[in-house]
Amino acid sequence: MTDAVQHEAPETAPGAATDEDLGVLFAPRGIAVIGASRDPGKLGAALARSVAGFSGHVALVNARRPEPSAGIYGSVAEAAEHGPVDLALVCLPARACADAVAEAAKAGARAAVVYGGGFAEAGPEGERYQRELADVVARTGIRLLGPNTSGFLAPGLTASFVPGAADVPAGRIAVVAASGGVNHALAFLLTEAGHGVSLAVGLGNGVDVTAADVLEHLTTDPHTSAVALHLESVADGRRLTDAVARLAATRPVVALVVGRHDVGAFAASHTGALATSWRTTRAALAQAGAVLVDDERELVDAVGALSLVRLPASADPGVGVVTAQAGPGLLLLDQLRGRRAAVPELAEDTRRALAAVLPPLTYQANPVDTGRPGPGFAAVLQAVAADAAVDLIAGYALHEPGAFDLVEAVAAAGDSVPLLLAVGGTGDGVRRVRRALLDRGVPVTGDPHGLAAMTGALLADARARSRTTAEAAPVAPTRPDVGPGPWDEDQAKTLLDRLGVSTMPRRACADRTEAHRALAELPGPVAVKLLDAAVLHKTEIGGVRLGVRTPQELDTALDALEAAGARRFLVESMAPAGVDLVVGARRDPVFGPVVLAGLGGTTAEALADVALRLAPLSREEAAGMPAELAGRALLDGWRGGPALDHLALGEVVEALGDLLVAHPELAEIEINPLRLTAQGLVALDAVCIAASSHCTGGGD
């Protein structure tokens, strides 16, 4: 299987983690708590209590009040004389942490956790303390988790001061969270849902150990079957996506990205404005093979299901829906449709088998409504599972022990296709049923929304692996000449011509005489535009006149453009009617070259109906981008309109991405609108922006 994100691998960053590095962090032979305290309310005391059950060497360090006879030493070096100290847990004020970590490294510690706050999140003084920590890491090579974290949970070691953390059981799910608080919140939610953790890490400020480091460590962890990833910001986007792609090839990754409503700084073009950090991060993770969720509850349901079940790679798995109550079944079906799940009508043979078991008034085509559940529930599951169009079953039932034994029915039905269940109800009986189902390897939740989240996660994971298997790898980008810039609209369109993107016949005119000659020679009617590389959004200053047919109309248009400051003009044949798109490529500060495709014109900004990918990418992958648009029906011959050739669009998007990859001097190139006409795609406007000077060209 190939990675979803394909590009030249970056050089290993200084201090980049290896499995051995983080193995020392998460599975040390011995630990020292620096700042241990006898005051039960202090952080050092809480942490000392948490690590008391660790089976390796545990040393408490308090330079101000040492008591060696009680196992409290004045330094890490002294503690190391009594046993190995691989990991230092630092519970000190920010100003003292760098010296403490340096001392631990000198005494032989190869990893450290700095728990306290007061670093970069606290202002200029805290930033200085954080730089001091980074300097120690660079100088000594010690691996550092934090600062400003509540630590981590690993089987056999609760390196956390949070009450209740030690009660989180060992399990199959790893949590990698930007926030220590979210790390524990997810670990507790997973515990409530019946799961345990193989590792749960809160990254904090991430001076050294990052999400990518931990994900790379998990690729070889035999105890982890699925990973929950929580992100607030990303420093090295390509390294993160590379790590996700490698991990997702062998075990699923479910990602929750914070910042849906962060619109970021408004960039010069529509592409820059629409490619917010939240949207770009989600798109990059999905391209790398991660499953995306919208909140922490969905994250728990999704990663819990994927820790137990992973479908074979498939472009569109079919879902059989079985419900013992019609109302919840309708809620489930509605949410599955919203997740683009295929819920195929069952075959005639399947429906005959169901009719032999179910009352005649129940709906049996898919969803299958059993009415009040009874002893025939196992036969219903068997019949639906046997249907050739069904790849997994999503089932809902209330806990009704007097009506039938759900666990027994599931056991009798077998496991020919994966089964996901929501069991409604409350009390110890329901909890025992859910636990029994989990023990059988059946993902289970308590409501239709959770069941839809579990089902959607399995579908998204199967689709992602199908896509990465089927798509061709992008070829090395070519380097067409782009010229020195800045680029006006005519020059930007000339560049598009060289890329094979269709444009309308046009003339760049230095004066009114040339504009009149262009009107006479070009197919009419024409658009007349201000031509100035420094003006991006010409319509906002009255720099565009459309539908010009006669010399008199041209003079009127030129008068208006000159009043708007025009000294040169672009005269261009008007394009036929159609559906407007926006496509573009920009150099994202975190992820590098990114491409965008969506509905164009003012709709682009009003609805932000766009899809994004990292570049370079193949035309096949780019061709799939419109499937993500809410308005995709407009591109499929809506009400007799033109239908999109998806591969033709893919070629345009691929070319723009390749152009940015090949030319570091470019910051952005955009076509808005790229009009879908009966004759194909044609670029009506173009913007090209330099990376250094941000000189621009074109723009509507």
Side-chain angles (χ1 to χ4, degrees), residues 136-208:
V136 172
V137 169
R139 187 171 68 251
T140 66
I142 194 169
R143 299 315 309 266
L144 178 68
L145 179 64
N148 191 26
T149 179
S150 49
F152 67 88
L153 314 178
L157 176 56
T158 305
S160 164
F161 57 82
V162 175
D167 297 328
V168 174
R172 305 157 56 91
I173 298 170
V175 178
V176 184
S179 157
V182 171
N183 175 50
H184 285 80
L186 292 174
F188 294 148
L189 286 172
L190 286 166
T191 300
E192 289 179 0
H195 303 287
V197 302
S198 57
L199 181 68
V201 183
L203 299 169
N205 290 11
V207 161
D208 175 39

Side-chain angles (χ1 to χ4, degrees), residues 134 145 159 183 342 351 361 469 510 523 622 671:
L145 179 64
N183 175 50
R351 295 166 73 171
L361 294 181
T469 301
I671 308 170

